[in-house]
Amino acid sequence: MNQKHLFLSVVAASILAGCSSSSSRYDLDDDTAPKAPISVEHIEDAIPQYEPYSLGGNSNYTLRGNDYEIIKDPKGFTEKGQASWYGKKFHGHLTSNGEVYDMYSMTAAHKTLPIPSYVKVTNTDNGKSTIVRVNDRGPFHEGRIIDLSYAAAYKLDVIKTGTANVEIEVITVERPSAEHKVQKLPSYRIQVATSKYEDRSRTLAEELSQKLSVDSFIDSNNKTHRVFLGPFNDYKLTQEALEQVKLLGFDSAFIRKHTATK
């Protein structure tokens, strides 16, 4: 294990251990939505894909006197219960596997599913569904089975009610074969902004490319010009770049997956 992975594992373990304090991150009474929320209508569902399980956040653990055993084979896993959500209070903090929590990404927390996992969540109160990527632990309130990011909760109409009755279903993506890897080359792009002004879009793309030392390009269609960064071949590196973009003030930036056939 290299030093970076060791650090992330230790940090993630300390986050989880800290959950039992009186000011637990899972006591959502103090959590809030953003004061001036950006629109999340354009944010796409998480895109299920094969990912190796994280080094951090996947060990069995004990919390508040309860033992939790991580599910080794989640294929076909379903569960019914209540969903809650977490937002501004934890935005920018580390999740259980060492990633940075982004309330505008389609993510979630679960007590025992392996990290990362992809889950279809259906609000059985209104029939709305979405897909999220589990990268955190929680919630630890009785009856609650999943904690949704602000964006995911918004799409399922859970923000106003705080909780909702849901059914979750794990989406399993098998590890691609060597032949499959040759035929299809997945990559990731960060959509930063959309404008009707091509010259401004190109200027922005060039400035971001220089500041972040990444490639950029413009996608123009029907007089609409979208600024993209990438492509990236590594999802984690894409997430790190996304955090840098958001620190520059582009809160609505998000990741898009692209698969090109070789």
Side-chain angles (χ1 to χ4, degrees), residues 185-189 231-234 238 255-260:
L185 305 174
S187 63
Y188 308 94
R189 304 168 178 185
F232 304 88
N233 293 322
D234 184 280
T238 313
I255 296 172
R256 301 187 69 163
K257 183 181 178 183
H258 177 74
T259 301

Side-chain angles (χ1 to χ4, degrees), residues 148-172:
L148 304 168
S149 67
Y150 169 81
Y154 182 91
K155 287 180 177 291
L156 294 176
D157 282 343
V158 184
I159 299 298
K160 292 182 179 180
T161 56
T163 60
N165 295 308
V166 297
E167 181 174 5
I168 68 174
E169 175 186 357
V170 168
I171 301 174
T172 303

Side-chain angles (χ1 to χ4, degrees), residues 241-255:
L242 178 63
E243 289 302 320
Q244 292 180 314
V245 170
K246 292 194 173 188
L247 287 174
L248 293 176
F250 299 93
D251 290 335
S252 61
F254 65 100
I255 296 172

Side-chain angles (χ1 to χ4, degrees), residues 111-123:
K111 293 185 281 289
T112 56
L113 282 175
I115 294 175
S117 293
Y118 289 89
V119 176
K120 179 180 179 181
V121 184
T122 300
N123 183 340

Side-chain angles (χ1 to χ4, degrees), residues 125-256:
D125 295 330
N126 59 22
K128 293 186 176 182
S129 296
T130 195
I131 297 175
V132 297
R133 178 176 177 268
V134 174
N135 68 346
D136 207 357
R137 293 289 170 225
F140 296 103
H141 291 273
E142 186 176 356
R144 298 184 189 178
I145 62 172
I146 194 167
D147 240 352
L148 304 168
S149 67
Y150 169 81
Y154 182 91
K155 287 180 177 291
L156 294 176
D157 282 343
V158 184
I159 299 298
K160 292 182 179 180
T161 56
T163 60
N165 295 308
V166 297
E167 181 174 5
I168 68 174
E169 175 186 357
V170 168
I171 301 174
T172 303
V173 180
E174 300 296 336
R175 183 170 188 165
S177 64
E179 181 181 355
H180 182 75
K181 288 181 180 178
V182 170
Q183 291 178 342
K184 293 189 176 181
L185 305 174
S187 63
Y188 308 94
R189 304 168 178 185
I190 297 174
Q191 182 171 323
V192 179
T194 302
S195 173
K196 62 181 180 180
Y197 302 106
E198 182 177 5
D199 55 342
R200 297 180 187 178
S201 297
R202 294 197 179 280
T203 299
L204 174 60
E206 292 173 2
E207 290 179 349
L208 289 176
S209 181
Q210 292 176 0
K211 285 183 180 179
L212 302 178
S213 299
V214 298
D215 293 334
S216 65
F217 64 94
I218 302 295
D219 181 24
S220 299
N221 187 24
N222 294 328
K223 297 183 179 181
T224 298
H225 309 284
R226 294 180 174 85
V227 178
F228 285 91
L229 297 182
F232 304 88
N233 293 322
D234 184 280
Y235 188 76
K236 188 169 182 59
L237 291 178
T238 313
Q239 287 185 312
E240 292 173 357
L242 178 63
E243 289 302 320
Q244 292 180 314
V245 170
K246 292 194 173 188
L247 287 174
L248 293 176
F250 299 93
D251 290 335
S252 61
F254 65 100
I255 296 172
R256 301 187 69 163

